[in-house]
Amino acid sequence: MKSRNLNDYEEIAGEIVVSQLRQLAANLKGARVVHVNSTRVGGGVAEILDWMLPLMNDLGLNASWEVIDGYDMFFDVTKTFHNGMQGSSVELTQKMIKIYEKNIEKNADRLRPVLEEADFVIIHDPQPAALLDLCPERKGKWVWRCHIDTSRPDRKVWKYIKSKVEGYDGSIFSMKSFARPLPHPQFIVAPSIDPLSPKNCDIDEKEIKKVFSKYGIPNDRPVLTQISRFDMFKDPLGVIKAFKTLTENNFQAELVLAGGGATDDPEGEKVLREVKAAAQENPHIHVLLLPSDAHRTINALQRGSALIIQKSLQEGFGLTVTEGLWKEKPVIGGNVGGIRLQIHNYYTGFLVETPEGAALRIRELLHDPAKLKRMGKVAKQFVRENFLLTRHLREYLTFMLGLGRGLTNYVLAECREHCDENFQ
Ligand code: UDP
């Protein structure tokens, strides 16, 4: 596929927005920016880095993306960090810490030359957090970008991660409520989608139909879709329960639960088995295991659905919500974390607490096609104003400029505040 450059976004985001980005970036020309995360494919961080790298380079920065290596036991430990940071009570032993530190040291040996020379290093999530201490000759500013809901972390896990991140020059959270007491400036930046990526670009009806027919999903009933990694925090079993509540009350619909794994997520297979068991013998539930590059397939599934579901129990942001809204689909989402930034009851979808609540809202919307359509239009406009990559990039450039110039005590305006104003 042809790689995109900033000019391609003028039509969607506006010429002024793009020219503002160029002006901001002029002050960062040639800056070496290194992003580090723990997987090249699967999950929201990889999705964001996929578009961010080429656009930063198009703006004249010198951006690169490094991925830490690991093996099963290492990723078991980092998944424990992830779960603990999202509020699960987990066991963290000295042995686990040893496994983590030994492997991160290996990664540091490999990455040190590029990290120590960089002007900005952006470390995504807890997995690579310990790299900072292992790069004592660092020249640039280091920022810890936390994508997960850390509002109520497990105490032991946070104590450990905190010891690894407090030396950073700044941190970024997706929402104000996720920020933790840390001795450096914190920035609030919500994620975003690339409207021109294969995941989100316009595609025609023929392609959508082809995907539905490939997976044997009938098109004579409304289709409800949740796209997610198979992860308990995404509550796929709750979605199945909501669907069963609907259909037991004679509602005719199809449910699609589609997702794949991420190389840094060792729990996916177990969850997938549980989902398949719960869906068994129900011909109207379609559990699809997708390859990591199935972006157009996901696009088609989202576009061909009547409604999108994202009934997470914890969520840093939930890019799949914005993806659905951009396709003019109201979203029924769990009333948690970053989903609250995106779903506003009666405008862009409904926030729900339980499977029964989800079933009720699904029924309400599917019974009122005019409302469904109206909300879909609002949803797309809402994304255009708040969750496109141009806003995201502007905020990254702004904090890099701020850190580079030693401004230490400002926090970017949080999207939520704009949203509240728009929707109250
Ligand atoms: N995704 C994907 N394939 C899958 C499952 C998810 O490409 O099988 C994408 C999804 O469309 C979204 C991202 O991965 O762009 C998931 O981001 P989100 O913030 O929703 O959740 P995360 O996985 O980061 O917790």
Side-chain angles (χ1 to χ4, degrees):
M1 209 198 78
K2 170 183 164 291
S3 75
R4 300 176 288 285
N5 66 40
L6 260 179
N7 294 338
D8 299 331
Y9 295 88
E10 283 184 354
E11 203 178 314
I12 295 174
E15 264 177 54
I16 293 179
V17 168
V18 171
S19 113
Q20 251 180 1
L21 286 176
R22 293 203 189 281
Q23 282 173 32
L24 273 173
N27 301 303
L28 288 161
K29 231 176 185 47
R32 283 155 306 178
V33 183
V34 185
H35 291 267
V36 185
N37 82 326
S38 58
T39 178
R40 184 85 50 190
V41 291
V45 180
E47 188 82 18
I48 289 168
L49 291 179
D50 260 340
W51 65 254
M52 190 176 277
L53 265 286
L55 290 193
M56 279 191 166
N57 285 322
D58 190 32
L59 280 166
L61 284 70
N62 179 357
S64 59
W65 172 9
E66 302 290 345
V67 177
I68 55 167
D69 297 329
Y71 57 106
D72 289 357
M73 265 158 45
F74 172 75
F75 286 125
D76 285 341
V77 178
T78 57
K79 185 72 188 188
T80 302
F81 289 165
H82 178 93
N83 291 346
M85 294 282 279
Q86 289 214 122
S88 299
S89 166
V90 294
E91 199 189 351
L92 183 63
T93 61
Q94 280 310 315
K95 186 171 166 218
M96 291 162 82
I97 288 179
K98 247 195 198 139
I99 290 172
Y100 173 70
E101 292 187 348
K102 211 164 160 202
N103 193 59
I104 213 76
E105 274 165 28
K106 270 198 203 150
N107 278 283
D109 291 344
R110 177 173 60 90
L111 298 173
R112 195 170 290 114
V114 54
L115 296 183
E116 287 188 337
E117 285 306 310
D119 298 301
F120 295 95
V121 175
I122 303 173
I123 298 285
H124 294 264
D125 283 334
Q127 298 91 329
L131 284 172
L132 176 93
D133 290 343
L134 303 167
C135 294
E137 308 284 318
R138 69 186 174 102
K139 295 198 176 67
K141 300 286 180 189
W142 282 52
V143 177
W144 182 53
R145 200 305 177 216
C146 179
H147 293 266
I148 53 190
D149 177 351
T150 42
S151 46
R152 273 180 300 178
D154 175 274
R155 242 165 29 92
K156 296 174 297 297
V157 171
W158 173 241
K159 193 170 166 212
Y160 179 71
I161 297 297
K162 185 177 178 211
S163 72
K164 300 293 165 200
V165 300
E166 52 196 1
Y168 281 67
D169 299 296
S171 48
I172 305 177
F173 294 89
S174 298
M175 288 177 80
K176 216 153 46 185
S177 58
F178 298 169
R180 309 292 312 154
L182 285 167
H184 55 231
Q186 302 191 21
F187 303 87
I188 307 300
V189 178
S192 65
I193 57 159
D194 176 352
L196 298 181
S197 70
K199 177 80 51 68
N200 297 306
C201 64
D202 288 341
I203 53 178
D204 62 28
E205 218 32 59
K206 207 166 124 209
E207 184 171 347
I208 297 172
K209 285 211 171 108
K210 211 165 137 196
V211 168
F212 276 67
S213 127
K214 174 176 171 191
Y215 289 106
I217 308 163
N219 56 7
D220 55 348
R221 299 153 156 238
V223 177
L224 315 168
T225 295
Q226 173 159 305
I227 307 286
S228 285
R229 289 178 294 108
F230 290 100
D231 179 321
M232 275 308 172
F233 282 123
K234 308 288 183 184
D235 199 20
L237 299 177
V239 177
I240 291 178
K241 193 163 172 217
F243 184 73
K244 286 184 173 166
T245 308
L246 266 178
T247 49
E248 274 158 16
N249 288 297
N250 292 325
F251 201 89
Q252 312 261 305
E254 301 289 319
L255 174 66
V256 176
L257 288 169
T263 49
D264 62 346
D265 181 1
E267 291 174 352
E269 274 176 38
K270 177 173 163 277
V271 177
L272 178 61
R273 271 197 305 277
E274 291 176 30
V275 168
K276 282 187 171 159
Q280 212 180 22
E281 288 167 18
N282 188 330
H284 304 294
I285 303 180
H286 309 265
V287 180
L288 314 181
L289 184 62
L290 300 176
S292 61
D293 60 352
H295 304 300
R296 285 189 83 97
T297 300
I298 291 175
N299 189 342
L301 290 170
Q302 289 167 329
R303 287 185 191 278
S305 299
L307 273 180
I308 300 297
I309 306 178
Q310 190 55 60
K311 216 204 103 10
S312 305
L313 302 171
Q314 288 280 350
E315 193 64 77
F317 184 69
L319 278 181
T320 48
V321 175
T322 283
E323 288 163 8
L325 299 177
W326 180 246
K327 291 158 189 132
E328 301 193 14
K329 310 293 167 182
V331 180
I332 308 290
N335 186 9
V336 292
I339 295 182
R340 293 183 181 141
L341 289 174
Q342 306 171 73
I343 298 185
H344 295 270
N345 287 336
Y346 297 98
Y347 291 95
T348 61
F350 287 104
L351 291 168
V352 297
E353 311 278 348
T354 59
E356 293 73 20
L360 207 74
R361 290 306 194 183
I362 293 168
R363 175 185 287 270
E364 176 184 339
L365 275 176
L366 293 182
H367 271 143
D368 190 344
K371 190 198 263 180
L372 195 71
K373 200 164 173 195
R374 196 171 58 241
M375 285 172 69
K377 298 263 176 240
V378 172
K380 182 163 190 178
Q381 185 57 20
F382 181 62
V383 172
R384 193 188 301 280
E385 287 168 12
N386 293 287
F387 298 120
L388 291 188
L389 49 74
T390 35
R391 185 270 310 152
H392 197 169
L393 210 46
R394 188 188 68 232
E395 291 179 346
Y396 263 62
L397 296 174
T398 310
F399 83 69
M400 283 196 261
L401 279 171
L403 277 180
R405 291 179 179 177
L407 304 179
T408 51
N409 55 354
Y410 67 82
V411 173
L412 293 173
E414 192 186 9
C415 278
R416 172 80 203 192
E417 281 155 10
H418 303 305
C419 303
D420 283 350
E421 279 164 24
N422 288 348
F423 283 98
Q424 270 165 10

